[in-house]
Amino acid sequence: MREAMLYHRTGDKGVVCDLCLHQCRIEPGRRGRCGVRENRDGTLYTLVYDHVAALEVDPIEKKPFFHVQPGSMSLSVATVGCNLRCRYCQNHYLSQLTKGRNPRIIGELLSPAEIVETALRHGCRSIAYTYTEPTVFFELVYETARQAYAQGLKNLLVTNGYLSPEAIRQLMPYVIAANVDLKGFDNAAYRRLTGGKLRPVLRCIQFMRALGMWVEVTTLIVPGHNDSDEELHAIAEYLASLSYTIPWHVTAFVPAYKMADHAPTPVETLQRAYTIGRHAGLHYVYCGNIRGSVGANTWCPHCRRLLIERAGLTVLANWIVNDQCPDCGTPIEGVQMSGPAVHHHVMNNAGRQPLRTMSAYTSRR
């Protein structure tokens, strides 16, 4: 165990966790909503500082980041636990394991230094804190990111956007980019499906951008819940009001967890969302969780030249030069966007074995 960061005491040995926007008041012997932060005699501890439950080398596009070091590999890291309870979570066997009648903490004991060494040994250019919710293993993220930064690795946060402003400040300047889940634009549906609220996520996106973090946004489109033209227009127009350069990933829902009997997202719905995003003025809209290259390529927002060609999660060619379109010179926003870069194969039996193999449809969480 390790004493948690970002909490304050309230008297009578109670504490308030300041890590995420739930701001759980936790009495002695109890845990917060995430199930991984426990009050022991007036001191808040994290139970997952060195309990790594998932460790895998992934294409950075799987996170998904399409505007950060395209074509590179990233070491994905996760512990158990989450501060939301999404009914369709594809990684619920990790994210929700710490809740309910039989909460459990699992994972291999790995230090931040060992995680960084693993990333370097596998030729990764970044470490992505992902699969579950990195907010709840904040202390591991912070120390690993600090050491990774010193070794020249980029740090990436894949998050539901429910972390506090102070948590975001603490991660700067070590974390250079975040992909934030924007799960819809209707607050009632947001609460029903995830246990969270919409407005804090919107504030998170704005605050990250204000601090200079590169932000991409992902919306998992669930038929019958957030797939109406009205809601998709609202999301696209909100992002466009912040910046036309924010990449918007619209991804297909695959039946899982408490919504295993729900219909998957038709490809036509993603194509409709793609069109709505482009009509709103967004320069970069991508379709995910589908086979093929529909909505996977990056085009110059000015002259519409093909800049990055992808097949699924694989970069086939990257024609960006000095972070600019080679034809018209338009800047292509992101982090180290220039090519060439092509994915190489990663053998699971080389070096450390992955602790858990994610399914083919585990998106980035």
Side-chain angles (χ1 to χ4, degrees), residues 6 40 42 45 55 58 60 101 116 127 137-138 192 203 209 223 230 233 241 264 271 276 296 298 300 304 334 357 359:
L6 299 176
R40 297 199 173 182
Y45 288 92
L55 188 71
D58 287 325
I60 198 168
R101 295 182 178 179
V116 172
I127 298 178
F137 55 98
F138 181 84
R192 182 177 67 253
R203 288 199 296 262
R209 284 183 48 81
E230 293 76 15
H233 274 292
S241 73
Q271 292 172 331
I276 287 171
T298 299
C300 175
R304 301 304 293 167
T357 301
S359 70

Side-chain angles (χ1 to χ4, degrees), residues 205 209 214-217 239-240 242-248 282-284:
I205 293 171
R209 284 183 48 81
W214 175 255
V215 175
E216 303 191 23
V217 171
L239 296 178
L242 300 180
S243 173
Y244 293 125
T245 67
I246 296 176
W248 186 31
L282 294 175
H283 291 173
Y284 312 109

Side-chain angles (χ1 to χ4, degrees), residues 147-187:
Q147 294 187 30
Y149 179 83
Q151 293 292 326
L153 295 170
K154 304 298 184 188
N155 291 288
L156 315 172
L157 203 66
V158 184
T159 176
N160 58 32
Y162 231 67
L163 64 170
S164 68
E166 182 54 32
I168 298 172
R169 288 192 191 96
Q170 291 269 351
L171 292 176
M172 298 291 288
Y174 308 121
V175 174
I176 195 165
N179 190 305
V180 181
D181 279 331
L182 182 53
K183 301 173 187 291
F185 220 74
D186 177 87
N187 190 59

Side-chain angles (χ1 to χ4, degrees), residues 241-260:
S241 73
L242 300 180
S243 173
Y244 293 125
T245 67
I246 296 176
W248 186 31
H249 301 264
V250 291
T251 63
F253 162 82
V254 176
Y257 194 34
K258 296 182 179 180
M259 296 179 67

Side-chain angles (χ1 to χ4, degrees), residues 4-8 16-24 34 36-37 44 46 83 133-139 162-168 170-171:
M5 301 171 65
L6 299 176
Y7 77 96
H8 66 272
V16 172
C17 179
D18 299 313
L19 178 59
C20 90
L21 297 172
H22 289 307
Q23 290 192 300
C24 295
C34 61
V36 302
R37 293 165 78 81
L44 189 64
T46 171
N83 53 357
E133 174 48 49
T135 304
V136 307
F137 55 98
F138 181 84
E139 293 78 10
Y162 231 67
L163 64 170
S164 68
E166 182 54 32
I168 298 172
Q170 291 269 351
L171 292 176

Side-chain angles (χ1 to χ4, degrees), residues 34-94:
C34 61
V36 302
R37 293 165 78 81
E38 183 174 305
N39 180 350
R40 297 199 173 182
D41 201 31
T43 299
L44 189 64
Y45 288 92
T46 171
L47 307 180
V48 293
Y49 174 70
D50 54 1
H51 283 61
V52 176
L55 188 71
E56 185 69 276
V57 176
D58 287 325
I60 198 168
E61 283 77 15
K62 186 181 177 184
K63 301 302 92 191
F65 284 99
F66 277 25
H67 284 250
V68 179
Q69 298 176 327
S72 66
M73 306 304 290
S74 183
L75 182 68
S76 296
V77 181
T79 73
V80 294
C82 185
N83 53 357
L84 295 184
R85 48 170 179 77
C86 300
R87 296 180 59 82
Y88 45 69
C89 181
Q90 294 174 350
N91 294 336
H92 60 90
Y93 50 86
L94 292 178

